[in-house]
Amino acid sequence: MLAVLVFLSAATLVVGYVDAERTNDKVTGDPSVEQAFKTGNRSPVVPSRPNITVVATDSNAFVGDEGDGARARAELAAFAPDGSIYYYQDNHTRYWDVDRVPGTNSTVEFVYADHLAPGDCGETVCTRNGVERVNLTTGERTQVYSRITPGKHSTRWHDVDRIDEHRLLVADIDRDRVYVVNTTTDLIEWEWDAQSSFDVAKSGGPFPDDWTHLNDVEYVEVDGQEAVMVSLRNHDQVAFVSFERGLMKNWTLGTDGNHSTLYEQHNPDYIPPENGGPAVLVADSENGRVVEYQRENGEWNRTWTWADQRVQWPRDADRLPNGNTLVTDSNGDRVFEVNRAGEVVWSATVGFPYEAERLGTGDESEGGESAASLGLPSKTPAEGERSLLARATATLPPKVVNSIAYAFPRWVGVAEGLAVVVLVVTLIRWLTLEYRWTDRTVSVRSPLRFGRK
C-alpha cells in the first residue's frame, strides 16, 4: 500500500511538471513573451484588446537566492492592442505597482525591488526599493526615487502613488507607515505611523517582523478632507487617514480577524461620489474573490462579489470606463477582464502577476463607476460548476491553498502540493516501519550467548 502511494504521488509530480513544461502554464514568467521580445517577433502572444495593457509580475521562485543575493525572476511586460509585445524588461528582482504618468500616452512609473548581496550594502543582505519611470515606446528609463531596507531580503514597498510633479506617497511595509516625500528636496513632508492608531499587541501579524503588511496607498478626498486610503493586509482592513486629523475610524472597512468582510486584501481602489461612490473595489485575496463595498448611511455594505472556479489569489482589480473590471490573479497565473454581465471576455496567461494597468482608461479605477451605479450582478461559481479537484480544494482553508501555491515552484498546483505532502508523509511512515522492523529483528536474535558459563 505504501509503495502504491509513493508511486501515485511521484507520478502526479512528474505529470504536473511535464504538463507545465509543455504548455508553458503555471510557471514564473511566460516563455513565449520573453522569446518574442528577444527575437523581435511581433506576432500576438495574448488576445487583442483596446489600448496597451501593462503587467507587473512578482517572482516567487524558490527563495534559495535570499541568502546570496542572486536575483529571482520577475518581469514587466506591456501588450499592444493586437496582443503583441509592446515593451518588456526583467531588470529587477520584483515588480509591484505600475501607473501611467499623467499627461503621457505610454510612459509609466513602477515600483521595483532589487535584492542585494553582502558587500553591496554592508555585512548583510538588503533590498533596494525604488520607483522607476519608463517610456514604453522609446524604452527610455529614469530613476525617480529609491531607498534601501537593510538586514534582510524582503521587498518592502508594494505601492507608491504620485500626488503631483514633486511629491510621492509611499506605502512602507518595513516601518508600518505611509509618508509623503518630495523627490526634488528629498525631504519627508508628512508621515502616518500605524502604531499611532493600532495596538501592536492586539492586532495584525507578528510585530515587528510583518505587523501590518501595508501593501497599498491611494491619495483621496473624503468628507471634504485630503486623505490617504491604506490597505492594512494583516489587519484585514482598509483604513482612511486624514492629513490633518489622522485615522478616520468611522471610515474603516473591515475588522481584524473578521474574514467574512476582507481576508488579507490587496490593492483597494477608491471610487468617488461623482462616479457613483463612495465605494471601494478590492481584491479580497485570501477569500479568492473580488468585492466592492458601497458607503451607505455611514456604513460599508457589500454591493458586488465576483469569483469563478479558477480564481485563486487575486491581488488587483480595476474598474474600467466601459464598466468592465480588469482582474489580476497571482496564483491563477492570469490577467483577465470581466464584462458587466460577469463573463470573462479577455484573458492572458502571465506567470505570477501582481498588478495590471490598462493605459488610456484612467489611473487604476479612476475612470470607472461603482458597481451600484452600474447595477453589476454578483457572480460566484455554483457547486455543480466546480471540478472535483476544485471542490476538494474548497474544503481546505484558503491559507493552506495559497501557501502551497506561494511556497512551491509555479508548476506546483494544489494537486501537486498535496502529492508532495502525501509523498513525504508516506516516506516517513515507510522509514519508521523499516526501523521498527529492523529493531524487532535484532531483538529476536538478542538471546544468543557467546562463551561459557
Side-chain angles (χ1 to χ4, degrees), residues 405-417:
Y406 198 87
F408 291 99
R410 299 303 300 148
W411 59 268
V412 177
V414 174
E416 290 82 7

Side-chain angles (χ1 to χ4, degrees), residues 58-63 66 94 96 155 158 213 233 312-313 315 330-331 352 399-410 412:
D58 165 17
S59 168
N60 79 326
F62 268 122
V63 291
E66 300 292 343
R94 296 191 179 192
W96 304 104
T155 46
H158 286 188
H213 201 93
R233 192 200 73 174
Q312 296 182 49
W313 198 41
R315 290 202 287 176
S330 293
N331 281 346
F352 207 57
K399 272 282 192 182
V400 174
V401 176
N402 288 317
S403 295
I404 290 173
Y406 198 87
F408 291 99
R410 299 303 300 148
V412 177

Side-chain angles (χ1 to χ4, degrees), residues 426-438:
T426 303
L427 287 175
I428 291 174
R429 179 60 177 166
W430 195 338
L431 291 173
T432 301
L433 291 175
E434 287 284 347
Y435 173 79
R436 289 178 178 175
W437 180 82
T438 303

Side-chain angles (χ1 to χ4, degrees), residues 322-361:
N322 63 1
N324 293 359
T325 306
L326 184 67
V327 180
T328 303
D329 183 12
S330 293
N331 281 346
D333 293 320
R334 63 170 176 161
V335 175
F336 58 97
E337 186 176 337
V338 177
N339 67 11
R340 293 189 183 197
E343 303 300 324
V344 175
V345 294
W346 178 83
S347 181
T349 297
V350 179
F352 207 57
Y354 180 76
E355 183 176 91
E357 185 79 3
R358 180 72 54 75
L359 302 188
T361 62

Side-chain angles (χ1 to χ4, degrees), residues 228-248:
V228 296
M229 180 180 71
V230 297
S231 171
L232 306 173
R233 192 200 73 174
N234 287 353
H235 289 65
D236 308 311
Q237 295 176 55
V238 175
F240 290 78
V241 181
S242 168
F243 278 100
E244 293 185 359
R245 302 177 184 177
L247 181 68
M248 304 170 69

Side-chain angles (χ1 to χ4, degrees), residues 92-110:
H92 299 289
T93 306
R94 296 191 179 192
Y95 294 88
W96 304 104
D97 174 63
V98 56
D99 297 315
R100 181 183 67 88
V101 175
T104 69
N105 294 323
S106 59
T107 299
V108 299
E109 287 179 340
F110 60 86

